């Protein structure tokens, strides 16, 4: 069975809505053979990542950067898994009040350094999530679950 790991820092109602939409997409009935593991960024471990075939990252944009919790996740896993997870598909969603570009840039820079492959363009949401934002996160969860399945079969 393939495994999709969702690592998130969910601190607001808006980030909760986006996480819920990602989870609904990843767990939809059309995706079979994928186990979905959800970890808060401060609790996720190298072992969680080593067991994953793909990862979805979720963060608020804080002062032009990813959350400190997601940065802590990267600090924790960077060296222990760098070689073993090269080529792993990842996706990203970011929520910000007015700008998400710095958070996206910082996450993608670290993921590139880890040798991960971006599976989809990031979903970026500013302000209150609307139906379009929730739909984009649902799709992000679904297609990244399928990427986990494809990666596990390689």
């Amino acid at each position: 069975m393939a495994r999709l790991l969702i690592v998130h820092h969910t601190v607001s109602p808006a980030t909760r809505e986006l996480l819920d939409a990602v989870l609904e997409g990843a767990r939809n009935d059309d995706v079979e053979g994928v186990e979905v593991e959800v970890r808060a960024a401060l609790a996720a471990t190298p072992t969680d990542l080593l067991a994953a075939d793909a990862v979805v990252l979720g963060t608020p944009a804080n002062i032009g950067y990813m959350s400190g919790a997601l940065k802590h996740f990267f600090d924790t896993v960077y060296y222990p898994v760098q070689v073993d997870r090269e080529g792993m598909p990842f996706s990203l969603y970011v929520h910000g009040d007015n700008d998400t570009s710095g958070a996206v840039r910082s996450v993608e820079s670290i993921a590139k350094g880890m040798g991960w492959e971006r599976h989809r363009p990031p979903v970026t949401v500013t302000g209150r999530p609307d139906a379009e934002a929730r739909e984009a996160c649902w799709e992000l969860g679904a297609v990244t679950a399928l990427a986990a399945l494809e990666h596990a079969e390689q």
Side-chain angles (χ1 to χ4, degrees):
M1 176 154 308
R3 181 172 287 168
L4 172 64
L5 177 63
I6 300 173
V7 178
H8 66 96
H9 185 62
T10 301
V11 294
S12 68
T15 53
R16 181 84 238 173
E17 282 184 60
L18 300 179
L19 173 62
D20 288 346
V22 168
L23 289 170
E24 287 177 26
R27 293 176 173 158
N28 85 75
D29 292 339
D30 292 335
V31 178
E32 296 179 3
V34 179
E35 180 181 349
V36 178
E37 295 290 330
V38 183
R39 297 285 186 267
L42 290 173
T45 66
T47 303
D48 294 326
L49 195 55
L50 287 168
D53 297 295
V55 64
V56 174
L57 305 167
T59 184
N62 291 341
I63 314 170
Y65 198 70
M66 74 181 94
S67 69
L70 192 60
K71 176 64 168 72
H72 172 79
F73 164 73
F74 280 127
D75 288 343
T76 302
V77 303
Y78 190 86
Y79 289 109
V81 306
Q82 185 177 17
V83 173
D84 293 330
R85 282 296 162 254
E86 193 165 329
M88 184 174 72
F90 84 96
S91 297
L92 169 68
Y93 66 93
V94 179
H95 176 266
D97 288 333
N98 56 27
D99 183 30
T100 59
S101 60
V104 169
R105 188 171 39 258
S106 61
V107 170
E108 289 189 334
S109 175
I110 294 171
K112 181 179 179 181
M114 294 182 77
W116 295 357
E117 300 291 329
R118 186 176 81 177
H119 184 65
R120 298 285 291 211
V123 173
T124 59
V125 180
T126 55
R128 179 100 177 133
D130 58 12
E132 184 178 328
R134 289 187 298 275
E135 171 86 16
C137 282
W138 187 96
E139 183 178 320
L140 189 78
V143 298
T144 309
L146 293 172
L149 191 59
E150 291 172 9
H151 191 257
E153 293 172 353
Q154 293 178 354

